[in-house]
Amino acid sequence: MSVTATEPDWRGLVDSWDRQQTGYIPPREQMFTLMIDAVRAELGDAPRVLDLGCGPGGISERLLARLSGARAVALDLDPVLLAIGQGALGTLGGRLRWVEADLRDSGWTGAAGDQPFDAVLTATALHWLPPEQLAVTYRQVAGLLRPGGLLLNADRLRFDERSPTCARLAERLTLGRAESAFTGDTPDWTAWWHALDREPSMRPLLAERERRLLGEHGRRTFARPSEAFHLGALADAGFREMGTIWQDLDRRLLLAVR
């Protein structure tokens, strides 16, 4: 992770972010590929897509590289990851728009613009929402999608109390993978943020990140509702069909059809 005193190496920061995330999610690229395959198969090459909780824009970058007519809105609250994504990707020829918005605030749907969307894609982002807020967010997402539009959510959706052995094995094996992944130039989550903090040019953004993540709502907490909770919340939100189309331990790609 190398940045100069004046202009960060935005592409290098995206690449180091990808290595860090892949350490936690070994099949990350497969997951993204399948997500985009599903969009292409159902919606063609020119969908209007919302990348929800986009981070530095990993989904948007891959989507727009593969689907020639696609357009995307990348939405997140984190000013550091947004700045890195914007610095590395720009607007990709006017096909990508960046939005700063907080999913905990009701006005975020208006900020997204470009409605209705053909698809909403999200990965390892909605676990920051408590279950009651996640249910609200699913209802809001349903309102952003056209009839027949798709929601694809890739995240760890835990096994519930009916499957304690599965839950225990998923946790143990996931931790074991992570312990063996972070070697050489692959930083873990804590090391990645600490390295960024050592770069003077990034400190104002990091301070703003701390302010936003504390904010009026208080610091975000990590939640991981069960797959059954997600499916029930999607049904309650008005999606007519939903199910898991890919799985690795308790990491799943959930598809819902508006």
Side-chain angles (χ1 to χ4, degrees):
M1 186 181 300
S2 174
V3 295
T4 68
T6 56
E7 180 66 13
D9 174 11
W10 300 118
R11 185 71 249 177
L13 290 172
V14 167
D15 291 344
S16 67
W17 172 264
D18 282 345
R19 290 194 302 274
Q20 176 246 121
Q21 290 288 289
T22 301
Y24 291 105
I25 313 168
R28 184 171 181 256
E29 289 301 325
Q30 177 191 7
M31 185 177 74
F32 284 156
T33 296
L34 181 56
M35 181 181 284
I36 298 166
D37 284 346
V39 170
R40 186 176 207 171
E42 290 295 310
L43 304 174
D45 287 328
R48 297 184 307 279
V49 174
L50 174 61
D51 181 356
L52 192 62
C54 63
I59 291 174
S60 293
E61 180 178 19
R62 291 160 175 81
L63 175 85
L64 298 180
R66 286 191 55 200
L67 305 189
S68 59
R71 303 179 70 86
V73 174
L75 183 148
D76 206 304
L77 173 65
D78 191 320
V80 175
L81 298 182
L82 285 170
I84 291 170
Q86 288 178 277
L89 305 180
T91 67
L92 293 177
R95 299 167 63 206
L96 176 60
R97 183 166 65 86
W98 299 87
V99 174
E100 294 184 7
D102 188 343
L103 297 183
R104 300 167 298 183
D105 292 332
S106 60
W108 75 265
T109 55
D114 290 355
Q115 301 169 29
F117 290 98
D118 298 305
V120 175
L121 310 184
T122 184
T124 61
L126 300 187
H127 58 229
W128 292 111
L129 300 175
E132 62 276 10
Q133 184 63 55
L134 175 64
V136 171
T137 300
Y138 277 153
R139 291 196 295 272
Q140 292 169 319
V141 168
L144 294 176
L145 284 167
R146 65 166 175 81
L150 305 181
L151 166 64
L152 286 147
N153 179 17
D155 213 333
R156 290 186 68 187
L157 312 183
R158 66 175 176 81
F159 294 96
D160 62 23
E161 64 279 358
R162 296 170 297 179
S163 306
T165 303
C166 293
R168 185 172 62 253
L169 282 173
E171 190 68 24
R172 181 181 300 169
L173 295 175
T174 297
L175 288 172
R177 287 176 175 181
E179 288 172 357
S180 63
F182 298 111
T183 58
D185 64 349
T186 302
D188 66 9
W189 175 268
T190 301
W192 192 87
W193 287 103
H194 283 172
L196 207 61
D197 191 45
R198 291 194 292 271
E199 302 295 342
S201 62
M202 298 301 296
R203 287 176 186 159
L205 284 171
L206 288 164
E208 176 62 13
R209 178 179 191 268
E210 182 70 9
R211 186 190 70 79
R212 288 187 189 181
L213 297 192
L214 284 169
E216 63 180 284
H217 301 284
R219 186 177 294 277
R220 296 188 299 178
T221 57
F222 185 90
R224 189 152 49 89
S226 68
E227 179 191 34
F229 178 91
H230 282 264
L231 294 174
L234 288 165
D236 290 343
F239 287 89
R240 60 182 173 85
E241 182 182 346
M242 66 287 301
T244 295
I245 61 170
W246 172 88
Q247 182 173 349
D248 179 85
L249 299 176
D250 61 358
R251 191 171 299 282
R252 312 169 205 250
L253 179 57
L254 200 61
L255 170 69
V257 183
R258 178 72 174 96

